[in-house]
Amino acid sequence: MNAPAPTLTELIERYAAGSQRLREAVAGLTPEQLASRPIAGKWSTLEVVAHLADFELIGAERIAAVTAEDEPTLPGRDETRYAARLAYDRRDFDEQLQIVGLVRRHVVRILQTLTEADLARRGVHTEAGPLLLSQLIERVTRHLEHHVPFIEAKRRALEAAASPGAEPTVG
């Protein structure tokens, strides 16, 4: 049996909580730790947060378009090209974190003006096809939630490297 679709209030609460969850994941990391790549072949925490900031802006624009327009086209974006061309490794970390928080607060204010019926509004994503506003909010919410465990894994790798022979913490 499928779980009932989340309500607008539930979607807003979960979306709004993402910014704090990200802040908690990076709390106390030094600039050197933020820039390091403790897991070979993976982005640094700074690069992950820069990626999140860029895609929060894209998500906010998509949510606004679906809210304001009738079935707008939502262009897909290539995260690999963004990372390669937009200097994620040279971003100001605090600024990127602030962008995520400000965009989330901005979008929450928009979402709080909507009704449950508005969740059925839709846009057409160039790669994913038709998306309801509710699905779009879920996707944007999950994107940040998807990346937080990677940041936590980097933290554990840094802790393990700082304490040779110690077992990394599980979390």
Side-chain angles (χ1 to χ4, degrees):
M1 182 186 335
N2 290 343
T7 66
L8 178 59
T9 299
E10 291 167 341
L11 288 170
I12 291 170
E13 287 173 357
R14 188 168 148 220
Y15 173 81
S19 176
Q20 183 59 33
R21 184 161 182 223
L22 178 60
R23 285 190 175 281
E24 290 168 2
V26 300
L29 292 174
T30 67
E32 294 77 22
Q33 290 170 322
L34 293 168
S36 73
R37 293 185 176 169
I39 301 173
K42 301 294 182 183
W43 288 346
S44 69
T45 297
L46 169 60
E47 291 165 321
V48 171
V49 173
H51 164 73
L52 289 170
D54 279 353
F55 279 80
E56 282 295 318
L57 294 166
I58 292 165
E61 193 282 327
R62 289 175 178 165
I63 289 169
V66 172
T67 299
E69 301 175 23
D70 293 329
E71 297 201 13
T73 299
L74 309 171
R77 296 289 183 241
D78 184 335
E79 72 177 31
T80 304
R81 287 182 159 201
Y82 271 61
R85 301 278 305 150
L86 298 180
Y88 283 181
D89 63 325
R90 295 192 300 254
R91 299 274 182 96
D92 178 275
F93 177 77
D94 290 330
E95 185 176 88
Q96 299 307 291
L97 204 53
Q98 288 174 25
I99 288 169
V100 172
L102 288 171
V103 169
R104 290 260 167 153
R105 286 195 300 275
H106 170 75
V107 171
V108 164
R109 290 190 190 282
I110 292 169
L111 296 176
Q112 289 172 333
T113 70
L114 303 181
T115 67
E116 293 291 329
D118 288 321
L119 293 176
R121 294 186 62 80
R122 65 181 213 168
V124 181
H125 192 281
T126 58
E127 296 165 5
L131 291 173
L132 299 176
L133 181 58
S134 60
Q135 294 171 309
L136 190 54
I137 297 165
E138 282 274 356
R139 285 172 65 114
V140 173
T141 300
R142 277 195 319 265
H143 181 248
L144 187 147
E145 292 172 348
H146 167 77
H147 282 286
V148 167
F150 300 142
I151 293 170
E152 294 166 344
K154 292 172 201 321
R155 181 186 287 276
R156 288 190 301 274
L158 287 165
E159 290 170 357
S163 314
E167 291 293 317
T169 59
V170 176

